[in-house]
Amino acid sequence: MLALKRAAVAIALTGDAAGGTAVLLTLRAAGLRAHSSQWALPGGRCDEGETQVTAALRELHEELGLDLREANVLGLLDDYPTRSGYLITPVVVWADASAAISPNPEEVASVHRIALGDIERADAFDFTTIPESTRRVIRFRHAGQFIHAPTAALIYQFREVLAGRDTRVAELEQPVFAWK
């Protein structure tokens, strides 16, 4: 079995229009080589010698123009192995509501603030099956669309942490289109 490449994503928390807290979610640019036009948390591959925290902070800056430091890091969630050969570390960070977000159009088509209440809804996540795997596929419903794993799995685990539940997500499956 090949070793998985290290990657990191930011579960970036910030204020929302209603005065609550939201998670920043991006719709990836259509021109990207991999996973174009898909929903994603800001993030990417770890550079040589870079920690997952440093990579997540760098990617937040590259994709959204957010200049955060290690002092903004609240913690890490479980690593998630992807079918495309990555081991993703979710890094939970706090970005002040007044922090300017300036999406890089080469990487990000749009940025969305997902209220914590939206991820905490009882019907926010569901599970389905696919013929290609015995594992359950997780989906997150947002704005009439499905967001799939790995993004859905990582947001789900974050929701579970908020609720005080010790839930693991590495066994949750991705849809076949995300296997590349």
Side-chain angles (χ1 to χ4, degrees), residues 52-115:
Q52 291 86 347
V53 167
T54 304
L57 295 174
R58 175 183 51 77
E59 290 285 347
L60 258 178
H61 186 260
E62 290 175 5
E63 293 180 23
L64 301 182
L66 284 173
D67 191 20
L68 302 180
R69 303 284 180 244
E70 288 198 25
N72 296 89
V73 175
L74 302 175
L76 307 177
L77 298 179
D78 292 345
D79 289 345
Y80 182 88
T82 70
R83 291 280 193 157
S84 58
Y86 289 91
L87 187 62
I88 300 173
T89 300
V91 179
V92 182
V93 300
W94 178 257
D96 191 85
S98 64
I101 297 172
S102 178
N104 175 349
E106 292 179 14
E107 296 191 44
V108 177
S110 57
V111 180
H112 305 262
R113 293 175 191 253
I114 312 301

Side-chain angles (χ1 to χ4, degrees), residues 4 15 18 21-22 28 57-58 69 76 79 83 89 92 106 120 134 138 140 158 166 176:
L4 297 175
T21 301
R28 292 172 55 87
L57 295 174
R58 175 183 51 77
R69 303 284 180 244
L76 307 177
D79 289 345
R83 291 280 193 157
T89 300
V92 182
E106 292 179 14
E120 293 170 332
T134 58
I138 186 169
F140 170 53
F158 179 67
D166 186 19
V176 175

Side-chain angles (χ1 to χ4, degrees), residues 115-170:
L116 292 187
D118 289 345
I119 69 172
E120 293 170 332
R121 288 188 342 261
D123 67 344
F125 294 87
D126 71 10
F127 301 89
T128 188
T129 59
I130 56 174
E132 296 85 355
S133 178
T134 58
R135 298 169 19 193
R136 298 181 307 157
V137 175
I138 186 169
R139 303 183 300 188
F140 170 53
R141 279 190 186 86
H142 172 65
Q145 298 181 40
F146 282 119
I147 298 170
H148 298 88
T151 301
L154 302 178
I155 294 172
Y156 180 72
Q157 186 177 41
F158 179 67
R159 174 184 100 154
E160 294 294 285
V161 167
L162 291 176
R165 293 185 287 266
D166 186 19
T167 302
R168 302 291 175 242
V169 297

